[in-house]
Amino acid sequence: MHFSKEDFGTDFKWGVSTAAYQIEGAHNKDGKGYSIWDDFSQRRKKIANGHSGNIACDFYHEYASDISIINKLHIPNYRFSISWSRIMPNGIGEVNYKGIAFYNRIIDYCLELGIEPWITLYHWDLPQALQQKGGWTNRSVVQWFNDFILCCLKHFGDRVKHWMVLNEPMVFTGAGYFLGVHAPGKRGLSNFLAASHHAALCQAEGGRTIRSYQSDFKIGTTFSYSDLDPLRENHERDAKAVIKVDALLNRLFLEPLLGLGYPTKDLKILQRIERFMQQGDEQKLAFQMDFIGLQNYTRERVKHAPFMPFIQAKIVKANTRNVPHTLMNWEVYPPCIYKALNRMQSYPSIKEIIVTENGAAFPDEVIEEEVHDIERVQYLKDHISQVLLAKREGVHVTGYFVWTLMDNFEWAEGYHPRFGIVHVDFNTQKRIIKNSGKWYSQFLAP
Ligand code: IFM
C-alpha cells in the first residue's frame, strides 16, 4: 500500500522514543544516585557480555547533537524518560539540581528546535535506595513515586505538556520481580503480585497527581501489548492457553486502569493479588487517561503446556516456527499492530491510542559510512501502513513513535540488538543515520 504522512491528517503525532538508562550513561556523574539497573548490571553480571549502561550512548554529554539529529530528521515529537535517581539520588528527599538542570537543557533545546518533549516518568530505573526498602513490593512506593512526580511537575511542568506515567508495567514487574532476568533480579509469585498491584496503583495515582497539578496536560501511560494466536488452529486447549496468556500479558495492568478490575476470571492465579489489596483499592486502580500508549512489536503463538506452573501455557518462539524474525527472536508480522489497535479500541473507555513504541532490531552493518538497513525500512513501512489501515477503519489512533532514535542498551541483551534508526559506534560515540532514519525523515519532511 502506498501512503504518505498526509494520509494520517495534520494532527497526527509523529515521534521517536528513548529511555534514560538505555542512552544516558554518566551513571555516577554530577550527583546521580544508583538505580536498580546500575546495581543489576554491575554486580550481578546478568547482562549479555557483561554489558552495562554506564556509558551507553553518552547522551548525558551528547544530548545537543542527538536532539539536533531528531530535528534534522524532521521528527516533531521526542519521548524520553527521567532517571529518578538522577534527580532524587535516594529516591526520596534530597533533590539533585544538577540532574534537574540536565533535563531542563534537554527540554529547552527541544523547544528551541520546535520539537515537542513527551516525558515518561518511569522507564524501569528505580533508585537502588528504594529497592533496599523492597522497591515495588513495598506499598510505600505509591507515596515515593508521587513525590517524584511532583518534583518533575514542579521543575518541568512549565514547559512539558505531554506526560506518560509508566513504561510497560508488565515487563518491569514480570522480568524484574517474577523471572529475575531484569533489575532488581527478584523472583517468585509473591514478589510479582505485590509489585504488580503497587505499580497498578501508581499508574492511576500518577495520572491523578498530574491532572490535579494541571488539568489540561495530556496524560497517558504505556503498555506492552502483543497480538496472540494459538499455535494450532482449531485446537481447544491452545485457544484456552491464549486466553490465560492474554490476561497476564495484555490485560493485567490495562483493565484495572479502565475500572474493570484484574482479569482474575481468566487467570485464576491472579486472585492471589487480593492479598496485597486494601479497602478502596479497586476504585484507586482506575483513572481516565487522555490516551493509552500502545507498544507493539510482534505477535506470539501460544500453546497449551500442562507442566508450566501457574499458567499451563507457553509462548513458542519465532525461530522454532520457521517465520521471519528479528534479532530479539520476535516474529515479523505487521498485522499484529492493526489487531492490537483494534483490540484496544474495543474498550469503550479508551478514547485515544498513541503507538508510543514500534520498531525492530536487525543485524546492521556499516559499509562506507552507511547502514543499508532495508529490513528495518520495510518493517517500519509495513507497520505504519497497518496503523493507517486501522485509522481508516475508525480506530482512534492519533500518533506513532518509532522505537528508537539510536542504538542503545537493550537491557538483559546488552548492546547486541540494535533498534535505532541512527547507528551508534559505542567505542567512538559516532552516529550514522541509517537508511531507516533517512526514510523516516523523507516521510516526515514538510
Ligand atoms: O528497549 C525496549 C524498551 O525499553 C521498552 N519496550 C521494548 C523495547 C525493545 O525491547
Side-chain angles (χ1 to χ4, degrees):
M1 171 167 91
H2 180 74
F3 61 89
S4 72
K5 179 182 74 157
E6 283 65 39
D7 295 320
F8 290 80
T10 46
D11 290 341
F12 199 82
K13 310 275 185 255
W14 295 100
V16 71
S17 296
T18 62
Y21 189 73
Q22 294 182 270
I23 62 167
E24 287 179 5
H27 70 296
N28 56 5
K29 190 106 196 256
D30 290 341
K32 178 182 170 294
Y34 242 41
S35 80
I36 54 174
W37 273 95
D38 291 316
D39 180 70
F40 190 69
S41 57
Q42 279 152 53
R43 293 209 283 117
R44 293 170 197 262
K45 296 282 174 224
K46 290 238 185 151
I47 315 292
N49 305 309
H51 288 163
S52 80
N54 284 1
I55 300 174
C57 310
D58 200 22
F59 182 74
Y60 189 76
H61 298 106
E62 302 286 338
Y63 76 92
S65 55
D66 288 334
I67 294 171
S68 300
I69 293 176
I70 299 178
N71 184 45
K72 186 170 161 195
L73 298 182
H74 307 295
I75 302 173
N77 295 283
Y78 176 37
R79 169 180 176 243
F80 59 93
S81 76
I82 306 287
S83 158
W84 186 341
S85 65
R86 195 179 289 291
I87 67 165
M88 297 175 87
N90 302 311
I92 42 177
E94 183 208 347
V95 172
N96 175 27
Y97 287 96
K98 288 191 173 166
I100 300 281
F102 168 60
Y103 293 108
N104 275 332
R105 289 196 290 277
I106 294 176
I107 294 163
D108 289 342
Y109 196 47
C110 280
L111 293 172
E112 191 183 321
L113 297 181
I115 298 165
E116 188 65 31
W118 295 54
I119 284 184
T120 310
L121 286 157
Y122 185 76
H123 200 128
W124 305 357
D125 44 358
L126 189 78
Q128 178 64 13
L130 299 183
Q131 184 52 40
Q132 274 150 9
K133 300 177 206 264
W136 287 96
T137 65
N138 184 337
R139 193 178 168 103
S140 303
V141 72
V142 181
Q143 187 57 52
W144 304 333
F145 188 53
N146 200 54
D147 292 350
F148 163 64
I149 295 179
L150 287 170
C151 178
C152 292
L153 290 167
K154 176 176 166 197
H155 293 286
F156 314 132
D158 56 335
R159 287 152 294 150
V160 177
K161 313 283 173 232
H162 297 84
W163 297 83
M164 282 147 287
V165 182
L166 298 182
N167 186 76
E168 299 179 356
M170 181 56 220
V171 180
F172 76 78
T173 56
Y177 287 86
F178 183 71
L179 298 173
V181 296
H182 276 193
K186 302 288 176 205
R187 287 169 190 269
L189 187 65
S190 194
N191 280 327
F192 169 64
L193 293 178
S196 296
H197 182 54
H198 302 143
L201 281 172
C202 280
Q203 87 187 342
E205 291 283 336
R208 272 187 285 279
T209 300
I210 305 170
R211 175 133 319 136
S212 56
Y213 182 86
Q214 180 84 37
S215 59
D216 62 354
F217 279 177
K218 189 120 173 143
I219 310 166
T221 194
T222 77
F223 298 96
S224 48
Y225 202 100
S226 291
D227 175 37
L228 302 172
D229 282 325
L231 182 67
R232 296 159 287 196
E233 273 172 39
N234 302 319
H235 190 284
E236 204 183 321
R237 284 188 296 178
D238 283 1
K240 283 190 177 152
V242 167
I243 292 171
K244 291 187 195 174
V245 173
D246 186 44
L248 180 68
L249 297 190
N250 292 333
R251 297 168 56 203
L252 176 60
F253 291 91
L254 177 64
E255 294 196 355
L257 182 72
L258 304 180
L260 302 172
Y262 291 116
T264 48
K265 282 200 195 75
D266 288 324
L267 184 58
K268 298 275 178 291
I269 194 77
L270 294 178
Q271 286 168 357
R272 295 201 201 167
I273 208 164
E274 278 158 20
R275 277 193 282 157
F276 303 99
M277 292 181 73
Q278 295 180 5
Q279 216 185 352
D281 274 7
E282 196 130 342
Q283 291 73 43
K284 286 189 187 158
L285 289 168
F287 177 73
Q288 180 65 52
M289 293 284 172
D290 296 316
F291 69 93
I292 293 296
L294 169 71
Q295 313 207 148
N296 172 264
Y297 290 85
T298 189
R299 70 138 165 206
E300 305 285 8
R301 306 291 298 255
V302 178
K303 76 169 188 184
H304 173 64
F307 299 114
M308 190 59 89
F310 308 125
I311 191 157
Q312 291 79 46
K314 196 173 178 227
I315 285 172
V316 182
K317 297 310 281 179
N319 59 351
T320 65
R321 294 191 270 117
N322 201 20
V323 290
H325 55 275
T326 70
L327 273 183
M328 297 295 279
N329 200 2
W330 295 344
E331 180 180 0
V332 178
Y333 179 69
C336 66
I337 198 161
Y338 168 85
K339 289 168 76 185
L341 282 164
N342 273 285
R343 181 78 187 291
M344 287 267 184
Q345 173 81 12
S346 71
Y347 292 98
S349 62
I350 297 183
K351 304 288 178 232
E352 199 176 323
I353 310 162
I354 296 180
V355 177
T356 38
E357 285 185 20
N358 174 245
F362 289 112
D364 300 327
E365 246 189 302
V366 180
I367 301 170
E368 293 173 3
E369 303 287 292
E370 305 223 336
V371 179
H372 298 285
D373 56 339
I374 35 177
E375 286 167 297
R376 186 173 296 99
V377 174
Q378 198 57 47
Y379 181 101
L380 294 177
K381 284 184 184 171
D382 289 347
H383 286 73
I384 292 173
S385 88
Q386 292 286 325
V387 174
L388 181 59
L389 192 61
K391 185 170 163 51
R392 282 187 170 150
E393 290 175 6
V395 174
H396 299 133
V397 53
T398 59
Y400 175 95
F401 287 61
V402 171
W403 182 267
T404 180
L405 173 63
M406 55 192 162
D407 299 333
N408 60 42
F409 177 78
E410 178 53 31
W411 308 111
E413 317 298 327
Y415 291 96
H416 176 58
R418 291 174 174 269
F419 276 89
I421 56 175
V422 174
H423 182 273
V424 176
D425 179 327
F426 293 105
N427 294 317
T428 61
Q429 293 300 345
K430 181 174 173 187
R431 277 53 165 160
I432 297 174
I433 297 172
K434 301 182 192 177
N435 277 15
S436 54
K438 293 179 187 165
W439 174 79
Y440 199 41
S441 162
Q442 279 156 16
F443 175 72
L444 296 179

